[in-house]
Amino acid sequence: MAITRLAGFLVLFSTHCYITTLAVILKTANKSPWANEFESIELSCLIESISTNNPRIEWKKIKNDEPSYVYFEKRISGDLESRAKIREPATLVIFNTTRSDTAQYRCEVTAPYDQKSFDEILIDLVVRVKPVVPRCSVPKSVPVGKSAELRCVEDEGFPQSKYQWFRDKEEIPEDPKSSPKFLNSTYTLNTNSGTLKFSAVRKEDVGEYYCKAKNEAGQSQCGPQKMEVYDINVAGIILGVLVVVVVLLCITVGICCAYKRGYFVSQKETANNYKAPAKGDGVDYVRTEDEGDFRHKSSFVI
């Protein structure tokens, strides 16, 4: 009886081992790895079970739904040709990663002598890029009570940068009510677009402003720029307008008086008022256009 049970156990054990051995099975240590730009990264493709001695291993890069080979027929190809290698048995190691390496990568193993002869692993790689120095725009001077907009933009960082604004080296909170120093400020801060908008500038808003762009890969900042806030001189503006009106009025009166006194009589009108001298017997006079005088046209007839 014991021998029968032992024989049955051995049969089940051998059957289980046979099925397991004839199936190629892959696994990975990380399905969503990331690396900062110019660093190295491993895309692990581990063969957990296989019986074929020399399986066919391939790696494909999938970007914008377009697959392309990066490892085929035991050779690195494509844009990774000089920047990658295969670490046995099937792990892909990429050196000096760039932002263009962000994509999906698929490890494919074919084992023709296994009952389950094919398996694959899909890996999402993200290469993070540090932001460059942002382009900052700060108005040089703004009158009290007027609106103002400060801008901060950079386009290189990945993932997309978040923005922080500072005034005189102190961070401006996203919500002005969260800080007693900015409690009465009338600004709105958009950390996604990098805009800092004042609906009504106060004298207290004067200072040196600069912006930081940051993401998981690092941060960069622009240089400080001074924003002045000044009072509007209403009395001076009114006085200036009155002076301009008075000057224009004087000019108009002067022109009217000059017309009445004949200082602006046209040359054509003077020429039309000119009366030619009476003609003598047998003499014709012709008035020239340039001099306005007369000359003989024909001689006396005797």
Side-chain angles (χ1 to χ4, degrees), residues 195-268:
T195 56
L196 175 62
K197 296 181 180 180
F198 292 89
S199 58
V201 173
R202 305 175 306 139
K203 292 287 288 184
E204 293 82 357
D205 295 325
V206 67
E208 288 191 334
Y209 290 80
Y210 65 92
C211 168
K212 280 184 181 180
K214 65 177 184 178
N215 63 13
E216 292 88 342
Q219 63 182 27
S220 295
Q221 70 181 53
C222 62
Q225 299 179 43
K226 185 69 175 281
M227 185 176 79
E228 298 284 355
V229 179
Y230 62 91
D231 291 314
I232 299 176
N233 189 350
V234 179
I237 293 174
I238 295 174
L239 181 62
V241 171
L242 290 176
V243 170
V244 172
V245 170
V246 170
V247 170
L248 291 176
L249 185 61
C250 292
I251 292 173
T252 303
V253 172
I255 292 174
C256 292
C257 292
Y259 265 113
K260 288 181 178 179
R261 295 183 181 182
Y263 290 113
F264 294 100
V265 178
S266 63
Q267 188 177 11
K268 182 177 181 180

Side-chain angles (χ1 to χ4, degrees), residues 70-169:
V70 293
Y71 183 72
F72 181 68
E73 293 184 345
K74 298 183 179 182
R75 189 166 59 90
I76 300 292
S77 59
D79 56 358
L80 296 181
E81 187 171 359
S82 58
R83 297 189 295 113
K85 72 174 185 177
I86 291 293
R87 195 181 70 189
E88 295 294 341
T91 294
L92 178 66
V93 182
I94 303 176
F95 305 102
N96 195 27
T97 56
T98 66
R99 63 195 70 188
S100 63
D101 295 331
T102 296
Q104 288 185 322
Y105 292 81
R106 188 166 65 214
C107 174
E108 301 177 356
V109 176
T110 303
Y113 300 113
D114 284 52
Q115 186 175 1
K116 179 179 175 291
S117 60
F118 178 81
D119 199 10
E120 64 182 21
I121 287 286
L122 192 63
I123 298 174
D124 290 305
L125 172 63
V126 173
V127 178
R128 306 187 307 193
V129 182
K130 178 184 175 181
V132 298
V133 175
R135 303 184 300 276
C136 298
S137 174
V138 178
K140 293 184 180 298
S141 59
V142 183
V144 171
K146 296 296 182 179
S147 62
E149 182 172 329
L150 288 67
R151 299 185 184 91
C152 180
V153 179
E154 78 85 29
D155 304 318
E156 299 295 324
F158 185 83
Q160 184 177 351
S161 295
K162 297 285 187 178
Y163 299 95
Q164 292 175 297
W165 274 99
F166 295 80
R167 185 184 72 192
D168 297 331
K169 298 182 180 180

